[in-house]
């Protein structure tokens, strides 16, 4: 046999062996964790749509799953921030200076919330419950401020999609807030 055929046979054998061990590919039972949160369906759908948690063992500790869910929320916040910037720079129609300013403030708040979530994950790793609560409250407050800014110019928004994305981000943060409370 030539070397390429040997490598192909080896790889195929490996995948065949893996198929006999379904627990290696099983996702952790996130439904038990999501069941305790305000927005259960959002928790499940965001986790299932994400690539981040696919390869966790089904015995993953709740803290590990919580950290992954926080990372999913950070990724979502990054998408929201990018969409806010895109609307201002490349939107379908020019924005008034007031609406541009509101989008800028909102984007700043979302980026700050992402930083607070990263600090939250660090606080969770070192089990600093006071820092967890502080960072969590700060992240929620940031997104609520963003929501208020967009609400104040809602009638002038060129696209309601960004507003809806901010609301979903806020709901995801409320889930993380519940998660943190349940871990403590």
């Amino acid at each position: 046999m030539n070397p390429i055929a040997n490598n192909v046979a080896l790889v195929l054998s490996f995948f065949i062996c893996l198929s006999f061990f379904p627990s290696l590919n099983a996702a952790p039972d996130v439904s038990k964790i999501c069941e305790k949160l305000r927005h259960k369906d959002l928790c499940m759908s965001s986790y299932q749509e994400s690539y981040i948690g696919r390869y966790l063992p089904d015995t993953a500790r709740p803290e590990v799953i919580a950290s992954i869910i926080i990372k999913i929320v950070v990724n979502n916040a990054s998408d929201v921030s990018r969409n806010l910037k895109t609307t201002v720079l490349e939107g379908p129609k020019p924005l008034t200076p007031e609406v541009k300013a509101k989008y800028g403030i909102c984007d700043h708040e979302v980026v700050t919330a992402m930083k607070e979530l990263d600090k939250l994950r660090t606080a969770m790793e070192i089990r600093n419950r006071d820092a967890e609560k502080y960072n969590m409250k700060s992240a929620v407050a940031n997104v609520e401020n963003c929501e208020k800014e967009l609400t104040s110019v809602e009638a002038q928004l060129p696209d309601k999609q960004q507003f809806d994305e901010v609301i979903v981000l806020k709901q995801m943060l409320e889930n993380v807030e519940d998660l943190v409370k349940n871990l403590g």
Side-chain angles (χ1 to χ4, degrees), residues 15-179:
F15 285 114
I16 289 170
C17 288
L18 276 180
S19 69
F20 290 111
F21 298 103
S23 64
L24 292 176
N25 297 319
D29 191 4
V30 180
S31 62
K32 289 179 184 173
I33 291 174
C34 289
E35 190 60 37
K36 299 175 184 175
L37 308 179
R38 275 177 260 187
H39 309 284
K40 301 167 185 77
D41 294 338
L42 179 60
C43 176
M44 285 303 297
S45 65
S46 61
Y47 191 87
Q48 290 169 344
E49 291 172 11
S50 173
Y51 66 91
I52 297 173
R54 286 191 191 150
Y55 302 106
L56 274 181
D58 54 357
T59 56
R61 293 186 339 266
E63 294 86 5
V64 173
I65 295 171
S67 181
I68 288 171
I69 290 173
I70 292 168
K71 183 64 177 161
I72 291 168
V73 175
V74 169
N75 288 346
N76 180 274
S78 178
D79 290 343
V80 169
S81 174
R82 183 176 50 252
N83 291 340
L84 289 167
K85 289 175 187 166
T86 300
T87 298
V88 170
L89 298 176
E90 304 166 10
K93 58 183 180 178
L95 303 175
T96 65
E98 179 189 18
V99 173
K100 268 188 180 180
K102 298 294 182 179
Y103 268 100
I105 293 168
C106 186
D107 179 53
H108 174 75
E109 294 290 349
V110 169
V111 169
T112 303
M114 289 174 8
K115 292 175 184 175
E116 291 298 331
L117 288 170
D118 285 336
K119 292 176 188 176
L120 170 64
R121 288 177 65 214
T122 301
M124 287 174 63
E125 289 172 11
I126 60 172
R127 300 185 193 284
N128 183 339
R129 299 297 182 216
D130 290 336
E132 287 175 15
K133 290 175 188 173
Y134 174 79
N135 296 127
M136 187 68 250
K137 285 181 182 181
S138 296
V140 170
N142 290 122
V143 173
E144 286 174 346
N145 289 339
C146 172
E147 178 186 15
K148 287 175 190 170
E149 293 297 325
L150 292 185
T151 300
S152 70
V153 292
E154 188 174 0
Q156 301 172 48
L157 296 178
D159 185 357
K160 300 284 188 204
Q161 178 183 348
Q162 283 82 24
F163 187 72
D164 294 340
E165 289 174 354
V166 170
I167 298 300
V168 169
L169 178 59
K170 180 181 167 191
Q171 291 172 346
M172 292 176 94
L173 279 170
E174 290 170 347
N175 278 347
V176 172
E177 189 173 34
D178 292 346
L179 240 169

